[in-house]
Each structure stands twice: as structure tokens, then as C-alpha cells.
Amino acid sequence: MSILDKFDLSGHTAIVTGAGSNLGREMAIALAEAGADIIGVGRRILPLEETGELVRTIGRRYFVRSTDVTDSSQVNAMVADAIKEFGTIEILVNNAGGGGAGHGKQLPELTDEDWHDGIDTNLTSAFFCSRAIIQHFLDQNYGRIINITSGLGYRAARQQFMYPISKGGVIQLTKALAISYARENIRVTCIAPGRFPHNLTTDIERYADRQPAGRYGRLEEIGPMTVFLASEAADYISGETILIDGGAIAAGIVPAGMAPKIDEVR
């Protein structure tokens, strides 16, 4: 077997949540290029179908499932339908998430709804999907779960509560799943993307120059790591979170690796 054969995902099937756009679409396409069939999961059918067209062009099967991943009953039904459609699922990518809930509010201003929206979108969704698929992975003595967190899972940010808390929780969920199921040949890993085009403000050039790499990430740079972690090449990696941020967290100043002006932190 050559080294490149270890990255071959032919015969495998992957569930990718949030597959309709941005990083989720890129990961779905990369997994398909490596040989995997794809179940694209999300709330909006049209973007999922657009991803499906790209996956089918590669020559892989694609199954669309409109699902609110913060609703456990919908998640359970999605996983059951995916298994019925493909027979076996080997890979789960918990990518769905968002960061808008309660952003910029003072703590006393945050509502219960803000809290649950932020935590459920990023953390509860990954828990629900992992819980729904784990028995299937145990039955076949094989599975790969790849969670998506953020650099803010490592650090705090002023007047941001739910997003960094939930993303930190995703890192801990990864560790808990990894050590719980390592002996059942289930590997659980996590990717922490830095700043990519999907989560940027209008101050693109200003902040890009302040990144250690001097630029933002490119969407296509997420796919190779996803394929690696899903493949045989990563069989002895579990419980780890891998940063794809051009050195931002290593810069150690603030979560995005940027040096803030004094008036920005007062």
C-alpha cells in the first residue's frame, strides 16, 4: 500500500452537517474527492442541493436531509434515514454552528433564549449527532467523528459569552468521546479554523494584515485536513484539536491573533 492509499475513502459514507455553504461545502467536496459518498445536512434545502450537484459531478452519491440539528428527534430521524439509504456510515462531521446569539450584549441583558440559541447551535447539535450515530459505530466497530470548533474555543473575548463557551465545550466533547470509545475503533478529533471568508467583517484587508500569516484562510484549505482525519492515515490520532489558523493562536495576543488598539479593549 502506498502512502496515498491511506487517504482513500472509497466505500465510506460521511454525514456533513452545515454542508450547504462555506467550510461545510468544502469539507463535503473534499471527502467526495477522496472517494466518500455524502449525506448533506442542514436547514435549507437549496444550498444543500447546490453542494449535491458538485458532489455528484465528482461521481459520488449524495443524499440531502433537511434537519434542524438542535432538535434531537430530527437528528435521530436523519441518522436512521442515512443508514437506511447507504447501509453504513463511517464518518460524521459536526460542522453546523453559528455565532450571532447575544453578541455584544452585557451579561444582564442576555436572555434565556440567547443562551440556548448559542449553546444549542454549536455544542448541543454536535452532542445530538454524535449520540445518534454512536450505536451504529459501535455495531460496526468503526467510526470517525470530526468536530469543528473555533480559536475562540481556546480564549475568551469581551462581551462574547455563548460562542466561546460553546466552542470550548466542543473541544471537551471531542476529548470525552475520544477516550470513551477509543478501544471500539472510534476516533474523535476536532478542527479549529481561524479566520476564513465565511466569518469576516467588512474590515477584511485591515484585519488580514494583522494576522501572523498576513492573510485569511482560504476555504479550500479546510478540506485536506478533514480528509486526513477521516482516513486511515490518522488512525492513531484521537482526542486532539488541530488549529488551521495561520499561526493566530500561537501569536497569543487575542483569539484571532490580532493586536487590538487600546480603545478597542476598554
Side-chain angles (χ1 to χ4, degrees):
M1 176 183 290
S2 74
I3 185 63
L4 293 181
D5 290 334
K6 293 182 179 293
F7 295 87
D8 185 8
L9 298 178
S10 297
H12 288 191
T13 302
I15 294 173
V16 181
T17 68
S21 61
N22 299 316
L23 297 180
R25 176 173 290 178
E26 292 295 327
M27 289 187 282
I29 292 169
L31 291 166
E33 289 178 340
D37 295 323
I38 306 296
I39 298 101
V41 176
R43 296 186 185 187
R44 297 179 297 145
I45 287 291
L46 181 57
L48 292 173
E49 289 287 7
E50 291 172 349
T51 300
E53 291 179 10
L54 297 171
V55 169
R56 294 183 185 108
T57 298
I58 297 168
R60 307 312 310 165
R61 296 174 64 196
Y62 183 84
F63 179 68
V64 175
R65 191 58 158 79
S66 176
T67 305
D68 178 356
V69 290
T70 69
D71 182 328
S72 63
S73 62
Q74 290 190 41
V75 169
N76 293 340
M78 175 272 292
V79 170
D81 287 349
I83 294 170
K84 182 178 180 181
E85 180 72 17
F86 288 95
T88 62
I89 310 296
E90 289 79 18
I91 303 159
L92 167 65
V93 180
N94 285 315
N95 167 69
H103 182 71
K105 288 184 179 180
Q106 299 286 334
L107 185 60
E109 299 172 326
L110 292 172
T111 65
D112 293 357
E113 290 74 21
D114 289 332
W115 173 261
H116 288 293
D117 184 21
I119 298 299
D120 291 350
T121 300
N122 295 298
L123 177 57
T124 305
S125 61
F127 168 75
F128 283 164
C129 291
S130 300
R131 184 179 64 180
I133 199 71
I134 199 68
Q135 188 59 55
H136 179 67
F137 285 174
L138 288 169
D139 291 344
Q140 65 192 15
N141 194 43
Y142 185 93
R144 301 292 180 263
I145 299 174
I146 302 170
N147 296 320
I148 307 301
T149 184
S150 163
L152 276 170
Y154 288 91
R155 297 179 179 275
R158 187 174 177 83
Q159 302 308 331
Q160 291 191 44
F161 294 94
M162 285 72 68
Y163 188 74
I165 291 168
S166 61
K167 288 301 188 179
V170 170
I171 294 172
Q172 293 302 321
L173 175 64
T174 300
K175 294 177 181 180
L177 291 169
I179 66 169
S180 296
Y181 297 106
R183 296 200 176 191
E184 285 72 34
N185 198 26
I186 297 168
R187 307 284 179 261
V188 189
T189 52
C190 192
I191 298 173
R195 282 187 167 251
F196 280 76
H198 75 290
N199 62 1
L200 303 182
T201 68
T202 56
D203 297 322
I204 292 178
E205 295 304 323
R206 173 190 175 196
Y207 288 120
D209 186 60
R210 294 162 71 178
Q211 298 292 306
R215 67 171 177 87
Y216 292 126
R218 302 184 182 102
L219 288 176
E220 64 269 19
E221 291 176 317
I222 195 77
M225 180 58 68
T226 310
V227 170
F228 168 64
L229 292 175
S231 74
E232 182 183 342
D235 272 358
Y236 203 55
I237 299 175
S238 198
E240 295 299 319
T241 298
I242 299 175
L243 288 154
I244 304 180
D245 68 352
I249 289 295
I253 303 170
V254 294
M258 300 180 298
K261 295 180 179 178
I262 295 300
D263 59 1
E264 290 178 341
V265 297
R266 284 178 176 170

